[in-house]
Amino acid sequence: MGSFSIWHWLIVLLVVLLVFGTKRLRGAGRDLGEAVKGFKKGMHEDETPERLDDRSKDPASTERSRHDDNVPR
């Protein structure tokens, strides 16, 4: 028993294509790509609250935000 050769992987790929079809695999790939993009965006947004914290330390900005909350829309 050794590791799988390239021929083993090609047969597995062929069976997967036959079972699922190219449209389903393309859709699954697209969904996976969007999930990765969303994850990266979420990780990037976690780094930005430092900027928001700096703004919240300014008393004038908190006063403006309190005033803006009371404005009827």
Side-chain angles (χ1 to χ4, degrees):
M1 300 249 308
S3 63
F4 291 110
S5 69
I6 188 70
W7 295 109
H8 290 106
W9 290 114
L10 288 174
I11 292 171
V12 169
L13 178 64
L14 180 66
V15 170
V16 168
L17 282 173
L18 289 174
V19 171
F20 293 109
T22 56
K23 286 188 178 185
R24 276 193 185 170
L25 291 176
R26 192 178 320 136
R30 186 178 301 124
D31 291 342
L32 181 63
E34 289 176 4
V36 169
K37 285 181 185 178
F39 178 76
K40 286 182 179 180
K41 183 179 178 183
M43 292 299 292
H44 180 66
E45 287 176 354
D46 286 344
E47 296 172 358
T48 57
E50 294 171 358
R51 294 179 187 160
L52 295 175
D53 289 340
D54 292 340
R55 194 172 28 160
S56 66
K57 291 178 185 177
D58 181 24
S61 67
T62 56
E63 200 59 42
R64 270 184 258 129
S65 65
R66 288 183 193 155
H67 179 68
D68 290 342
D69 290 340
N70 295 329
V71 174
R73 296 177 194 221

